[in-house]
Amino acid sequence: MSELLDLLSAQLLSRELDHAARELQRRGEGFYTIGSAGHEANAAVAMALRPTDPALLHYRSGGFYCARAAQVDGVDPVADVLHSLMTSVDDPISGGRHKVFGSRALAIVPQTSTIASHLPRAVGLAFALERARRIGVRTAYPGDAVVVTSLGDASVNHSTAQGALNAAGWLTHQRIPLPLLVAVEDNGLGISVRTPPGWLAATLAGQPGLTYLTADGADPAALLGTASEAADLVRRQRRPVVLHLRTVRLMGHAGSDVEMAYRTAAEIQADEARDPVEATARALLATGALDAAALADLRSRTRERVRGTLEELLPARRLSTAAEVMRPLLEHRPDRVREEAVVAADPERRAAVFAGQLPEHAGPLTLAESLTAALTDLLAVRAETLVLGEDVAVKGGVYGVTRGLLARFDARRVLDTLLDEQTILGTALGAALAGLLPVAEIQYLAYLHNAEDQLRGEGATLSFFSDGQYRNGMIVRIPGLAYQRGFGGHFHNDNSLAVLRDVPGLVLAVPSSAAEAPGLVRALAGLARAEGRVCVLLEPIALYHRRDEDLTAPYAAPADWDGRTPALGECALHRGGASGGTTAGPHTLVVTFGNGVSMTRAALRRPELASLAGRVDVLDLRWIAPLPEADLVRHAAAYPRVVVVDETRRSGGVSEGVVSVLVDAGYPGRISRVTSEDSVIPLGPGAAAVLLSEDRIAAALEEEQPA
């Protein structure tokens, strides 16, 4: 009976916090309802687990939070939740940035998702815990930890949820351990839309590779037993279990929701009769573990505890400046980043990994070859590094960039994934949360868009909503941009980077040659490890295998890495249109990146531009997000004219950001742009009509000649 009493105590706390949330809103002091009324049955799931089991929960998890807090000394769930609801700077997880269920002390990773976008990360974390154990890397969690995640019944229909459940089954089908417990809380409604009767049981029970269990929140004794069975199965078998938890939703979807608009009074009353809090109270009364007076006293003490704490915490202190709000996104430790970036494996290890053929002795390498060498060095020095993605292992990538890595480091660290970009990024997010350094590949830039929310809504926001307590440092490699010609024409191309430039905190770098690529890989690894940054390396496909003199470069030996690894925000200036040259009286600065660097150089070699020889310098931005504002402004100040050469689209492209930086800084010279058109890229010769070209660059530079 003690379990039932513990369950009721957690449920009552959660219910009173729901009432307190509405009271705070009434007073104008709260900004969100807790939304857990009727879902308090999930407290039983917390009780079945250990407080060291990582939890990624949806927004109706008050019961779970209160039950887990009861397992850990020194955590006050009432103060935690009220601080969060009030967006108080004293909120121990978000520091006043959002209403989230999260706690470092309780191993609850904060999530703001309401549509299951946290599920791929949960699958990734469960996978990574076992993978870390196999490669001998310690994580922050016990070796037999279980990952628990939760969502509502309507969210099961979301493509992200279906992809995550499919990935879990795909892994299990191959007998890959996956200690994952998925709690699906079924109240029969998605806001106002009813879940068809029987649909959830049919879809969950039919998931291949997943054990299906079900329990009813209105039967607390059976619920406790089933939750314990589910947790025990996952812990022992290291296989995923789906717990279909039938419950109800009381007091509407949220504070502004009037459910009488779409539900009958009889339906609402039927749900109230199945209230899990009252069901647990009735069970305790029926067994004699509590009498009516003791139950009334427990309710009264719980209510007074919540109300008393509420009054003590007011008035709340809140964030008031942009710097305070953005601090987790802006924190930068360049010395620590540099230290992490230039670390190399010892000489014997490097020699063994490269089979005695060190890349610094191989002569000039192509962009693809330099990336392969840099990834090899990264895997050699960091045991926690994983390379993952579709086709990256056995095939070695569509363009051969990861060729040879599987043979050198085996399938525990270089692995092919299923064809699902959400799963690829979610696996990387989970691996990073476990303390690994994932290097994930999205096969083409055009393939990123169906999974971009994994970077925006999940990856880059984690440090923000946890006040820097949780981070998921990772590198995403994306072959892209619009100049590769495969399958008879431009294919799988996209020249828009707007979706990546718009993610707060994300770092985006683009190499322009083999001279730049290894240093950027090292720099991103340093940012991922030292600051937990979500980093993207966009690799120009068209440059991978070209052997033009200005595109190939010798690979730097580790002793030279410190001088060959750019800091975040450090551009590369090429004098006279070519690296290493000299010029007197420069007139025009071309600001560009990626393919734009080699295209500008080629344009400058044209006879008709001979008069510009030595008068045009090229600034390779390297960093596209955040833009290297200080370095850009500093370099531009030495030139009376700036031409921005941008292979992305004219609207929403990189050039708009560059021009804005210069204008905001008061740059006094003339600025012009040459870009690609605002068009989808066609297949075949028509692509040349809408993409940036050497002809258009040459015309722009000729126009910019001094009078």
Side-chain angles (χ1 to χ4, degrees):
M1 289 304 103
S2 62
E3 269 195 317
L4 279 176
L5 186 56
D6 290 343
L7 177 62
L8 180 61
S9 296
Q11 290 176 323
L12 286 173
L13 265 186
S14 179
R15 181 63 56 85
E16 289 301 326
L17 285 166
D18 254 310
H19 294 310
R22 286 166 169 76
E23 173 64 16
L24 285 169
Q25 284 193 312
R26 187 186 67 79
R27 297 191 194 186
E29 294 286 353
F31 301 93
Y32 203 90
T33 56
I34 186 173
S36 294
H39 279 243
E40 292 89 355
N42 57 34
V45 179
M47 292 172 61
L49 295 163
R50 300 170 186 166
T52 52
D53 291 326
L56 294 79
L57 309 173
H58 76 149
Y59 65 110
R60 297 191 187 277
S61 298
F64 186 105
Y65 194 93
C66 292
R68 176 159 285 193
Q71 300 170 329
V72 177
D73 293 336
V75 178
D76 181 0
V78 177
D80 285 1
V81 173
L82 291 177
H83 277 311
S84 183
L85 292 167
M86 295 187 290
T87 63
S88 166
V89 297
D90 298 310
D91 170 17
I93 188 62
S94 79
R97 291 173 181 82
H98 211 284
K99 177 262 176 182
V100 287
F101 287 113
S103 169
R104 190 78 191 185
L106 303 181
I108 299 177
V109 183
Q111 311 293 316
T112 62
S113 167
T114 60
I115 54 169
S117 59
H118 58 295
L119 258 66
R121 190 209 307 258
V123 173
L125 178 56
F127 168 81
L129 292 181
E130 288 296 310
R131 186 54 51 108
R133 184 177 60 80
R134 291 181 63 190
I135 63 177
V137 174
R138 296 189 63 179
T139 75
Y141 305 103
D144 64 347
V146 168
V147 177
V148 60
T149 190
S150 60
L151 69 160
D153 53 296
S155 294
V156 169
N157 299 300
H158 199 276
S159 62
T160 310
Q162 288 296 311
L165 294 172
N166 178 74
W170 186 84
L171 290 166
T172 304
H173 181 75
Q174 299 173 82
R175 300 185 179 180
I176 296 173
L178 193 73
L180 177 68
L181 174 58
V182 181
V184 180
E185 299 173 23
D186 180 8
N187 61 36
L189 288 166
I191 306 182
S192 65
V193 179
R194 289 169 170 78
T195 297
W199 166 249
L200 204 60
T203 190
L204 293 176
Q207 290 286 339
L210 278 65
T211 300
Y212 171 78
L213 298 174
T214 185
D216 192 334
D219 185 351
L223 168 65
L224 287 167
T226 304
S228 293
E229 178 187 0
D232 183 60
L233 278 173
V234 177
R235 200 176 306 278
R236 284 189 298 102
Q237 298 183 358
R238 317 308 283 168
R239 291 169 57 90
V241 170
V242 173
L243 175 58
H244 179 188
L245 178 56
R246 292 182 171 85
T247 185
V248 295
R249 190 194 75 193
L250 305 178
M251 295 192 279
H253 171 72
S256 60
D257 182 38
V258 181
E259 58 181 344
M260 287 294 290
Y262 53 85
R263 302 186 74 197
T264 67
E267 288 173 328
I268 295 172
Q269 289 171 359
D271 275 358
E272 291 174 350
R274 297 185 62 247
D275 183 347
V277 177
E278 298 307 317
T280 306
R282 287 194 298 270
L284 284 163
L285 290 172
T287 61
L290 282 180
D291 58 23
L295 176 59
D297 180 61
L298 178 60
R299 291 183 190 272
S300 177
R301 285 187 285 109
T302 303
R303 185 175 302 113
E304 290 306 313
R305 175 184 174 186
V306 173
R307 290 180 177 178
T309 304
L310 185 153
E311 299 300 336
E312 289 174 7
L313 299 182
L314 290 173
R317 299 184 301 128
R318 298 190 174 97
L319 301 171
S320 59
T321 68
E324 289 176 324
V325 172
M326 297 170 66
R327 180 178 51 76
L329 299 175
L330 299 178
E331 288 179 331
H332 184 38
R333 298 179 289 175
D335 292 342
R336 180 63 178 151
V337 170
R338 171 71 60 173
E339 179 184 336
E340 292 280 0
V342 300
V343 64
D346 64 70
E348 289 187 6
R349 169 68 170 158
R350 285 193 80 232
V353 164
F354 284 105
Q357 299 178 341
L358 295 174
E360 55 264 39
H361 299 156
L365 303 181
T366 64
L367 174 63
E369 290 167 343
S370 71
L371 286 166
T372 305
L375 292 172
T376 303
D377 264 319
L378 188 59
L379 283 157
V381 72
R382 296 189 178 281
E384 70 272 21
T385 302
L386 300 181
V387 170
L388 64 143
E390 184 194 354
D391 292 316
V392 302
V394 177
K395 181 178 175 65
V398 171
Y399 296 96
V401 173
T402 57
R403 188 173 297 146
L405 298 185
L406 177 63
R408 289 170 175 168
F409 298 100
D410 76 45
R412 294 175 300 172
R413 300 183 61 201
V414 181
L415 50 141
D416 286 325
T417 66
L418 74 174
L419 195 164
D420 176 40
E421 287 74 25
Q422 291 185 120
T423 294
I424 294 169
L425 293 179
T427 301
L429 289 170
L433 189 57
L436 303 180
L437 175 58
V439 181
E441 180 183 294
I442 299 297
Q443 202 163 81
Y444 292 97
L445 179 58
Y447 291 0
L448 172 69
H449 302 296
N450 67 8
E452 179 267 340
D453 187 53
Q454 288 297 300
L455 298 181
R456 174 188 301 277
E458 296 297 322
T461 61
L462 181 61
S463 65
F464 184 83
F465 291 127
S466 69
D467 197 21
Q469 297 174 74
Y470 284 101
R471 295 183 182 270
N472 34 222
M474 58 190 280
I475 299 173
V476 183
R477 294 181 44 253
I478 308 177
L481 298 173
Y483 294 95
Q484 70 98 5
R485 293 177 177 85
F487 310 101
H490 293 268
F491 204 71
H492 295 321
N493 286 282
D494 191 352
N495 65 336
S496 175
L497 304 183
V499 74
L500 291 167
R501 292 184 60 231
D502 190 42
V503 180
L506 182 143
V507 174
L508 170 61
V510 182
S512 61
S513 69
E516 299 291 338
L520 287 175
V521 170
R522 293 191 295 269
L524 294 180
L527 287 162
R529 296 311 287 166
E531 298 180 355
R533 298 280 194 126
V534 175
C535 302
V536 176
L537 185 69
L538 184 65
E539 302 163 6
I541 295 172
L543 306 183
Y544 270 149
H545 303 298
R546 285 178 56 181
R547 293 194 174 273
D548 310 51
E549 184 178 353
D550 59 352
L551 292 175
T552 61
Y555 189 81
D560 299 322
W561 284 0
D562 194 48
R564 303 284 185 89
T565 302
L568 179 64
E570 181 184 357
C571 303
L573 181 65
H574 303 293
R575 297 285 188 182
S579 179
T582 61
T583 183
H587 180 271
T588 300
L589 180 68
V590 172
V591 177
T592 188
F593 65 96
N595 290 294
V597 175
S598 59
M599 294 174 73
T600 300
R601 286 172 163 174
L604 286 168
R605 288 193 288 266
R606 293 186 169 194
E608 64 266 30
L609 295 185
S611 62
L612 293 181
R615 304 211 67 198
V616 178
D617 294 345
V618 177
L619 186 69
D620 181 357
L621 291 169
R622 289 174 170 158
W623 307 98
I624 307 303
L627 280 172
E629 297 187 10
D631 222 25
L632 170 60
V633 171
R634 178 176 65 83
H635 283 294
Y639 301 81
R641 293 186 178 181
V642 168
V643 178
V644 186
V645 172
D646 178 11
E647 61 185 289
T648 67
R649 298 170 192 165
R650 190 166 186 82
S651 299
V654 176
S655 64
E656 288 184 338
V658 171
V659 172
S660 295
V661 168
L662 294 174
V663 171
D664 288 348
Y667 173 71
R670 180 180 173 184
I671 308 172
S672 61
R673 297 190 291 155
V674 54
T675 71
S676 295
E677 300 294 339
D678 292 337
S679 174
V680 177
I681 303 166
L683 184 67
V690 296
L691 292 176
L692 178 72
S693 66
E694 291 177 17
D695 288 343
R696 295 175 66 186
I697 296 171
L701 292 176
E702 197 168 22
E703 181 182 321
E704 292 296 324
Q705 291 189 65

